[in-house]
Amino acid sequence: IASCTSVFANPAPLGIELNKTTLNEVKEKYSVTSSTPNATDGYYNNSLDINNIDIKTLSEVKAISNSNEIIEVLLLTLDKSQFNEVYSSLASKYQLMTQKIPPVGNKSAEFEDGDCVIYISAPHMSFSMTVAYATKHFITQYTNRTEQDIQEEKEKNKKLF
């Protein structure tokens, strides 16, 4: 298993440090309302009860754990009106890698901190935005799984036609 090897601490939104905090430690701080398998093999989506999390307009939090129950991803969904505030906060803490922030349209940015990546995305036709904190290890696993799924679909379609 790969790990964030930075000497510095990894991002720790909501006090959940990526690639260090265990699912049991999360359960000590927050109520986990459900745990379901993730599309990426060996990972689980753990939904947190947002009622005790003091972030205005927060509508959903998922902590994705690996097979060792270590949190590798934290997904936060909140009202899109928070984009500028969240962007400014992230820009003050992490290295900006890319940004697309037009006056009208889809807004997004990507930040990096050691072996972790932070994405912020606010689709134009949506009322919500997503802030995703993820280890590069998880992103690699997810990308490989997605590419495998696409290839399997192509092979299946080739047989059908």
Side-chain angles (χ1 to χ4, degrees), residues 7-157:
V7 174
F8 303 102
N10 297 317
L14 305 179
I16 300 171
E17 186 176 341
L18 294 184
N19 220 22
K20 181 178 178 188
T21 302
T22 66
L23 183 57
N24 282 336
E25 290 170 326
V26 169
K27 289 177 179 179
E28 289 172 9
K29 290 178 98 171
Y30 303 103
S31 174
V32 176
T33 58
S34 69
S35 185
T36 57
N38 184 281
T40 305
D41 290 338
Y43 287 85
Y44 287 86
N45 297 328
N46 304 284
S47 296
L48 307 186
D49 181 357
I50 62 167
N51 291 322
N52 295 324
I53 301 173
D54 189 25
I55 298 176
K56 64 181 177 178
T57 77
L58 184 67
S59 61
E60 183 178 36
V61 176
K62 284 188 182 171
I64 300 177
S65 58
N66 62 26
S67 59
N68 294 321
E69 295 193 340
I70 303 293
I71 305 302
E72 285 199 42
V73 179
L74 196 67
L75 302 172
L76 293 88
T77 304
L78 20 111
D79 190 280
K80 186 167 71 172
S81 67
Q82 300 294 113
F83 184 88
N84 290 338
E85 183 180 337
V86 172
Y87 173 86
S88 294
S89 178
L90 294 173
S92 72
K93 297 178 188 176
Y94 308 113
Q95 180 181 0
L96 177 65
M97 303 306 289
T98 63
Q99 70 175 8
K100 294 178 186 164
I101 307 177
V104 176
N106 298 333
K107 296 180 180 184
S108 64
E110 178 181 333
F111 301 88
E112 197 169 289
D113 186 43
D115 288 337
C116 300
V117 177
I118 302 98
Y119 296 101
I120 180 174
S121 174
H124 175 61
M125 298 302 286
S126 176
F127 293 109
S128 62
M129 66 177 215
T130 302
V131 182
Y133 296 80
T135 63
K136 290 179 181 176
H137 176 257
F138 176 84
I139 294 168
T140 299
Q141 299 290 15
Y142 177 81
T143 302
N144 290 346
R145 179 66 188 171
T146 302
E147 289 171 0
Q148 180 183 348
D149 289 347
I150 291 169
Q151 191 59 36
E152 287 173 3
E153 186 70 22
K154 284 181 182 179
E155 291 298 319
K156 183 176 119 183
N157 288 341

